[in-house]
Amino acid sequence: MTPNVFFTGGPEDWARYETPLRDALAAEGIAARVSPDCPDPAAVDYLVFLPGTVSDFTPFTRARAVLSLWAGVETITGNPTLTQPLARMVDDSLTEGMVEYVTGHVLRHHLGIDGFIGATRWEKAVPPLARDRRVTVLGLGELGSACATALAALRFDVAGWSRRPRRIAGITCLSGQEGLQQALERAEILVLLLPRTPETEDILNPQSIAALPPGAVVINPGRGALIDEAALLAALDDGHLGHATLDTFRTEPLPADHPFWQHPRVTVTPHIAAETRPETASRVIAANIRRAEAGAPLLYRVDRAAGY
Ligand SMILES: NC(=O)c1ccc[n+]([C@@H]2O[C@H](COP(=O)([O-])OP(=O)(O)OC[C@H]3O[C@@H](n4cnc5c(N)ncnc54)[C@H](OP(=O)(O)O)[C@@H]3O)[C@@H](O)[C@H]2O)c1
C-alpha cells in the first residue's frame, strides 16, 4: 500500500522540503504520497512534524509514527494526545553545525579573542594551551558527545555529564548529583547541551552557578529553559561569571527589550547553532519511513518517560 505522508509545516517550510523529501523517499524506493495538506487525518500514515503546527494528534488514528524535523522535542513529549511513536532528528549536518558552533565559541573565550579586537596598545596576554583549559559539557548525547570529542581532539581538558553513566574516549564522564557538582566546579567554560525536561529546567540556578569557578563562561546552545535568567544576570553583573554566549531562549525570538541584548557580558545568537538542513534531514526521515514500512524499529525514538 502507498503510505500517506503529511508534512505539517507551512508553505515556506514546504517550499524548502518538497523536493528533498520526494527525492529522499524515491531514493529509499518508497512510493509515498507526500503533501502539506491533510483533508483526512485518519488516512495519514506518517507525520513529518515541525513544532508549533499540529497540537492534537487524536484524529491521526492510523499514523504509525510522528517524525520530528527538530532534535529537541520538548514541545510535544508531554502532549497527552500523542500516542503514536515519536522519533526526533539526529543528522550529521545538525551535529557538524553544533560542533562548529561550540568549538568556535569555546576558542573565542579560551583565546580571549575579544580582548584583541580593536586593541590599540601592545599588551601581551598569552592564553594558556587548551590542555590547561577545563571545559565541561552538560549532556553527552548525539550533540554533546560530538562536541566534547572535538574539543578533546584540540586537547582541551574535557569533562561531560549525563543522566546515565557513559564512557567516551578522552572525556572524563560524570553522572548523578555528585558528578554534576564535580562537573560544575571544574568548568572554566561550561557548554549546555541538555534537552529541556522537568529535570533539566533551571539546572543553571543560583546554587549551580555559585559552584562554577570565578570568571567562568557559559555557552548555551541547548535550551533557554536550562537557565534561571535572573540568576545568570546577577552572576554576570557581580563578576562571578565572565561571559554568557546564548543561542536559545525561553521566548524566541528574544524580545527586543530583553536585558540580554544590551548586556556587555552576553553574546546573543539567534538559535543558529545547528540548523536542520532539508537535504540531509529528508534522508533521515525517508530512512525511518522505510524502516517502519519494513516493520523495523524506528531510529532515534524518543523515550516519552524520560522526556527526550
Ligand atoms: N541551538 C540549536 O540550534 C540546537 C539544535 C539541535 C538541538 N539543540 C538542543 O540540543 C539538545 C541535545 O540534543 P542531542 O541530540 O544531543 O540530545 P540527546 O542525544 O537526547 O542527548 C541528551 C543528553 O542529555 C542528557 N540528559 C538528559 N536529561 C538529563 C538529566 N536529567 N541529567 C543529566 N543528563 C541528562 C542525556 O543523558 P543520557 O546520555 O544518560 O541519556 C544525554 O547525554 C536538544 O534536546 C535540543 O534542546 C539545539
Side-chain angles (χ1 to χ4, degrees), residues 35-234:
S35 172
D37 304 316
C38 182
D40 180 10
V44 169
D45 295 293
Y46 301 97
L47 289 88
V48 177
F49 177 80
L50 277 161
T53 55
V54 175
S55 57
D56 182 6
F57 294 89
T58 318
F60 298 94
T61 48
R62 192 169 96 184
R64 274 171 271 165
V66 174
L67 306 167
S68 173
L69 284 171
W70 281 37
V73 284
E74 72 279 3
T75 60
I76 46 169
T77 45
N79 185 328
T81 70
L82 179 64
T83 53
Q84 301 85 349
L86 171 65
R88 64 190 199 92
M89 181 51 61
V90 173
D91 164 34
D92 287 351
S93 302
L94 204 63
T95 306
E96 276 171 45
M98 188 59 83
V99 166
E100 291 176 20
Y101 180 93
V102 167
T103 308
H105 286 279
V106 165
L107 282 170
R108 167 192 170 192
H109 296 297
H110 164 64
L111 295 173
I113 289 173
D114 293 19
F116 298 103
I117 294 173
T120 53
R121 281 196 314 193
W122 184 269
E123 265 183 43
K124 278 198 156 208
V126 181
L129 289 173
R131 69 172 73 146
D132 296 320
R133 180 77 73 191
R134 291 188 305 278
V135 182
T136 288
V137 182
L138 298 189
L140 285 176
E142 295 290 337
L143 302 177
S145 61
C147 291
T149 302
L151 292 168
L154 290 171
R155 308 206 62 182
F156 283 101
D157 180 353
V158 184
W161 182 71
S162 56
R163 189 164 62 92
R164 297 160 290 192
R166 297 186 61 127
R167 291 179 73 160
I168 303 172
I171 313 296
T172 303
C173 292
L174 303 162
S175 61
Q177 275 312 306
E178 204 178 305
L180 178 60
Q181 189 66 19
Q182 287 173 38
L184 294 168
E185 283 173 3
R186 70 183 300 288
E188 292 175 89
I189 300 176
L190 180 72
V191 180
L192 301 181
L193 273 170
L194 293 161
R196 177 184 185 170
T197 70
E199 286 73 37
T200 62
E201 180 137 9
D202 283 338
I203 197 152
L204 217 58
N205 53 46
Q207 293 73 38
S208 53
I209 290 173
L212 294 168
V217 166
V218 173
I219 300 176
N220 183 20
R223 279 294 180 262
L226 301 174
I227 298 181
D228 172 339
E229 290 187 356
L232 181 78
L233 284 165

Side-chain angles (χ1 to χ4, degrees), residues 247-264:
D247 186 57
T248 52
F249 304 91
R250 286 175 188 267
T251 306
E252 294 183 4
L254 186 65
D257 60 352
H258 196 287
F260 285 160
W261 283 116
Q262 302 302 333
H263 201 290

